[in-house]
Amino acid sequence: MAWFSPDMPRPSPNMDDAGFWEGCAARRLRFQYCAQCATARHPPTPICPACRGTEVRWQEAPAQAEVYTYTVIHYAAHPAVNVRLPYVAAVVTFAGVDGVRLVSNITDCEASAVKIGMPVQLWWDDLGDGMFVPRFAPPGARRSA
Amino acid sequence: MTVVEGSRSRCCIVGIGQSEYTKWGGIKDRSQFQVTAQAILAALDDAGLRPEDVDGLTSYSNDSNEPHLMQVALGIPKLRVAAMVWGGAGGGTCGSVSLACSAIESGRADVVVAYRGLCQGQARRFGRHGPGRVNGNFVDPFGLMAPPQMLAMIVQRFMHLYPITADHLAEVALNARANANRNPRAVMHGRTLTREDYFAARWIAEPLRLYDCCLETDGAAAVVITSRQRARDAKSRPVEILSAVQGSGPGWGNGALSGHNMPDADYASTGYRTLAPDLFGAAGLAPKDIDVAQIYDHFSGMVLMALEDLGFCGKGESGAFVASGAIRWPDGDLPLNTSGGQLSEAYVHGMNLIVEGVRQMRGTSTSQVKDARTCLVTGGLGVAPSSAIILGRT
Ligand SMILES: [Zn+2]
């Protein structure tokens, strides 16, 4: 069962970001890199801002990340989040993946335990119909993951 | 960065107009479009001009009050400029004025009205999930859906990196309310706010509490811009536009209202360090020359960052700056958001801040800064593109 309610907005892949979501469908967190100059970028864009190349490759990120910043959200901007209030939205970074930050959630811990700099572990939330999204939890917090 | 010294705008604001401001859903008897049209008429009347004199209309932030329909409604015989600055939500506030100046200075228009109508009771509440978020695929599924949540992320890191506390955030909110309590037009005119009230209020998105967040309101505001030469005939006292800038630094398009991928050195900031040199340079002024400021207060913590990014204090020093009383009317060095701002007057996407800037330069604010000769006004902070103007007393 998905972490938020089933009516939560789902990713709707487009021509520019489909590669990211194809990776997610295979439960692989892959970021877009320029095939020419190897600059990583996120969210995906069709042209490399460093060299203007259009060829890309998708490279898998480590499953361990670090909290760069976060917020504990206490109100429902959408009815689908009610089941999780208050919940933590965070920006996470990955060692060795420079220039890329990912917006996600920190789950399976008290909101008050979340700190900038804390290590977190990737897990995949099954939204159904072959769609998975990456979320994060403290290492070891999800036994089944 | 190229700063063109002496490239002062040759334009003035000659009229200001607004509707009543109410809590969202408070304007029930007229459409948002009508409310906006009436704000434009009020601004023209203030200037001593008629719709027949107008040949340009500008706005920002996907204003749904479209200029060609406004032309029909107001009976404008000939429109020569109908333009809106891109994106950035309230970032375009001063951009719409900058655009008007460009049109006037290049001879493509003579009299331009920059306007914004926003009745959240008739459209949608900005604190809720809505369609069309930039890179929505990378935020919506994670419950990061609305500006208070998105900008709370930046404020959190800002408070982690620098000696900024909840008391400093509170000071921005309390200052706005104290100013609103003197301003009969303000939605929060009759409602006082104490430090205890501030800390007792509910969390919205940590570290932001209820009173750290702007109001959700109904209202419209407009300003009339024309050449300095033509401004001499205005009915009300013209206010000079000393500088007007719009723009953004690298990565901010994927910034706080999107995937949070602006440069690391710039993350815990408003993005205004990119704009500041041109803003002050074109006016030939420095931060110390600014007498009063209207800084876009969608969220208290962002205002603190802006004080640093615009050079009113050093990096990480904004907490101490506001704690010293610097932003308080009447004795502070830089009285701030003197109408009550968007935390306590109304959230007209920043257009009400420009209107208040004009009042300060005319000497008609309800928290009038004595002998004020310059007023800095910003558009939305932490968004892209953003914008700012410096107004001068004539
Ligand atoms: Zn490249």
Side-chain angles (χ1 to χ4, degrees):
Chain A
M1 206 169 89
W3 196 68
F4 287 112
S5 294
D7 56 333
M8 188 70 173
R10 297 163 61 90
S12 170
N14 58 54
M15 287 177 78
D16 291 327
D17 69 14
F20 181 88
W21 299 112
E22 284 162 17
C24 291
R27 280 178 275 185
R28 291 181 179 282
L29 180 60
R30 300 183 317 182
F31 289 107
Q32 186 184 46
Y33 285 71
C34 174
Q36 200 164 296
C37 78
T39 302
R41 57 190 200 254
H42 183 77
T45 58
I47 295 177
C48 171
C51 77
R52 285 84 194 187
T54 55
E55 294 300 316
V56 302
R57 60 186 170 81
W58 296 88
Q59 188 172 311
E60 193 161 356
Q64 294 76 37
E66 185 179 305
V67 174
Y68 182 80
T69 190
Y70 67 97
T71 176
V72 185
I73 297 173
H74 289 263
Y75 80 99
H78 187 287
V81 306
N82 271 311
V83 292
R84 291 294 176 189
L85 286 177
Y87 62 97
V88 179
V91 176
V92 301
T93 55
F94 303 86
V97 189
D98 291 338
V100 163
R101 292 186 210 111
L102 182 72
V103 171
S104 184
N105 302 104
I106 310 302
T107 70
D108 301 277
C109 69
E110 291 295 322
S112 58
V114 176
K115 300 279 180 271
I116 290 175
M118 80 185 269
V120 288
Q121 177 81 26
L122 170 68
W123 66 275
W124 288 102
D125 188 14
D126 185 352
L127 302 188
D129 298 324
M131 177 66 79
F132 293 81
V133 297
R135 301 194 207 277
F136 294 80
R142 292 182 66 83
R143 268 182 294 264
S144 61
Chain B
M1 179 158 319
T2 320
V3 175
V4 186
E5 294 292 344
S7 66
R8 257 184 194 203
S9 156
R10 298 184 296 276
C11 294
C12 292
I13 295 178
V14 291
I16 53 176
Q18 64 165 89
S19 70
E20 73 272 39
Y21 298 148
T22 73
K23 181 177 163 36
W24 67 276
I27 298 182
K28 298 180 199 306
D29 59 334
R30 289 160 295 148
S31 68
Q32 175 184 276
F33 183 79
Q34 181 178 347
V35 169
T36 309
Q38 289 175 316
I40 294 172
L41 288 174
L44 288 169
D45 185 56
D46 181 53
L49 294 168
R50 306 176 66 233
E52 285 81 353
D53 299 309
V54 175
D55 58 0
L57 294 171
T58 63
S59 190
Y60 56 99
S61 192
N62 303 327
D63 194 312
S64 59
N65 309 290
E66 296 178 48
H68 45 286
L69 302 179
M70 203 56 77
Q71 180 184 14
V72 172
L74 298 179
I76 295 172
K78 183 177 176 182
L79 204 54
R80 297 165 70 206
V81 169
M84 185 163 68
V85 297
W86 289 99
T93 304
C94 299
S96 69
V97 173
S98 179
L99 183 63
C101 293
S102 299
I104 293 162
E105 288 161 16
S106 66
R108 283 170 174 78
D110 289 322
V111 175
V112 181
V113 183
Y115 64 88
R116 182 79 177 109
L118 182 61
C119 294
Q120 293 196 32
Q122 297 179 25
R124 68 175 190 86
R125 293 179 64 184
F126 278 25
R128 308 289 157 151
H129 172 256
R133 178 67 59 198
V134 176
N135 281 310
N137 280 350
F138 294 96
V139 290
D140 287 340
F142 307 97
L144 191 67
M145 297 170 151
Q149 307 166 348
M150 301 174 126
L151 293 168
M153 296 268 209
I154 299 187
V155 178
Q156 183 87 267
R157 190 161 173 87
F158 178 60
M159 295 174 77
H160 171 77
L161 293 174
Y162 304 104
I164 306 294
T165 68
D167 278 310
H168 301 143
L169 268 57
E171 173 60 14
V172 175
L174 294 170
N175 171 67
R177 185 59 62 89
N179 290 338
N181 292 154
R182 284 184 288 270
N183 173 11
R185 302 177 189 88
V187 171
M188 292 299 181
H189 171 60
R191 309 239 325 246
T192 54
L193 182 71
T194 65
R195 190 167 293 271
E196 292 66 39
D197 296 335
Y198 170 89
F199 280 104
R202 66 181 184 275
W203 287 113
I204 299 298
E206 295 180 37
L208 303 177
R209 293 175 169 87
L210 178 65
Y211 297 114
D212 292 307
C213 302
C214 58
L215 305 171
E216 292 173 307
T217 58
D218 290 356
V223 298
V224 183
I225 301 130
T226 192
S227 63
R228 217 185 290 168
Q229 192 175 4
R230 188 152 179 179
R232 289 189 200 115
D233 305 326
K235 186 172 90 181
S236 304
R237 184 188 190 119
V239 167
E240 203 167 349
I241 300 165
L242 300 179
S243 175
V245 297
Q246 188 210 11
S248 42
W252 277 89
N254 278 341
L257 294 193
S258 169
H260 284 257
N261 279 274
M262 54 289 217
D264 182 58
D266 231 14
Y267 182 87
S269 89
T270 60
Y272 269 71
R273 270 178 287 182
T274 304
L275 275 67
D278 283 350
L279 175 67
F280 289 107
L285 297 172
K288 65 174 170 46
D289 301 319
I290 302 298
D291 296 325
V292 52
Q294 318 297 330
I295 293 181
Y296 198 99
D297 50 345
H298 41 6
F299 305 105
S300 59
M302 301 303 296
V303 175
L304 296 174
M305 282 175 222
L307 291 168
E308 301 177 7
D309 296 340
L310 291 164
F312 292 113
C313 58
K315 194 69 198 159
E317 294 173 2
S318 59
F321 183 79
V322 301
S324 75
I327 62 172
R328 289 283 184 154
W329 183 86
D331 296 324
D333 285 344
L334 186 73
L336 189 72
N337 298 356
T338 45
S339 69
Q342 305 193 102
L343 293 172
S344 283
E345 185 191 39
Y347 185 78
V348 195
H349 242 159
M351 191 52 89
N352 52 318
L353 301 182
I354 300 179
V355 169
E356 172 64 7
V358 171
R359 286 191 210 113
Q360 281 289 352
M361 294 298 92
R362 285 178 174 178
T364 59
S365 171
T366 49
S367 296
Q368 182 60 42
V369 175
K370 196 164 173 290
D371 302 325
R373 303 198 62 81
T374 55
C375 180
L376 184 149
V377 187
T378 78
L381 313 170
V383 300
S386 45
S387 61
I389 54 176
I390 298 175
L391 300 174
R393 187 179 177 90
T394 50

